[in-house]
Amino acid sequence: MQGRRPCGYCGHQWLCVNRRIASGVPAPATFPARCGQCGRSSDVDASATPLRDAEPADPHFGLPLHLVEPTRAGLLWAYNAEHLQALHQYAVATLRETKGHHRSMFSRLPQWMKLARHRVLLQRAVERLQKRLLQG
């Protein structure tokens, strides 16, 4: 849960709230936060934001994904065979152009997947997932 707002008393500083709430536990809509300037406490509206390092899940149903492969650099996951194929093509590409792709899936990949030094690591992880997909 994250939220921020100016202090309700002095309006000087931003009051920030950043709380982790376990899934399945009802979370309150507001949290108290203390102003560093005047020292008073105000309620801050907070909204849920997904965690980047959370267990990968289907965005519509919340079910865990089957195509998940941990690596030493990070967690690789794919929704389906087409998604896995696109990741494979990205991993084996010798030239990764960024012009005109600022809104693409590849621009939103984790940084470890974009680094040249992890190219082989990414290729091997994708190949393991492809084998798992073919087996069952």
Side-chain angles (χ1 to χ4, degrees):
M1 304 288 291
Q2 290 183 337
R4 71 179 202 155
R5 65 167 270 202
C7 176
Y9 295 97
C10 68
H12 180 70
Q13 287 189 328
W14 284 101
L15 304 178
C16 298
V17 173
N18 189 7
R19 305 272 169 90
R20 285 190 174 204
I21 305 293
S23 62
V25 176
T30 61
F31 291 95
R34 185 168 306 277
C35 177
Q37 183 70 25
C38 69
R40 293 185 175 181
S41 181
S42 297
D43 286 338
V44 176
D45 294 331
S47 59
T49 56
L51 298 173
R52 292 183 75 85
D53 297 330
E55 187 67 29
D58 177 83
H60 300 290
F61 301 108
L63 299 172
L65 296 178
H66 176 69
L67 298 172
V68 178
E69 184 68 28
T71 69
R72 64 179 163 85
L75 194 63
L76 172 67
W77 53 265
Y79 290 123
N80 52 32
E82 292 81 18
H83 186 203
L84 195 56
Q85 183 62 32
L87 288 172
H88 177 69
Q89 290 172 348
Y90 179 78
V92 299
T94 56
L95 179 62
R96 296 177 181 171
E97 295 187 33
T98 59
K99 184 178 178 183
H101 297 285
H102 66 281
R103 304 279 298 165
S104 71
M105 170 183 72
F106 304 111
S107 68
R108 291 170 172 74
L109 287 176
Q111 187 63 34
W112 73 268
M113 289 185 189
K114 297 177 185 180
L115 295 175
R117 68 176 182 244
H118 292 144
R119 185 176 303 234
V120 174
L121 180 74
L122 180 60
Q123 288 174 349
R124 289 180 182 158
V126 167
E127 289 168 3
R128 286 192 300 268
L129 285 177
Q130 286 175 331
K131 287 178 186 175
R132 188 182 313 158
L133 187 63
L134 292 174
Q135 290 174 354

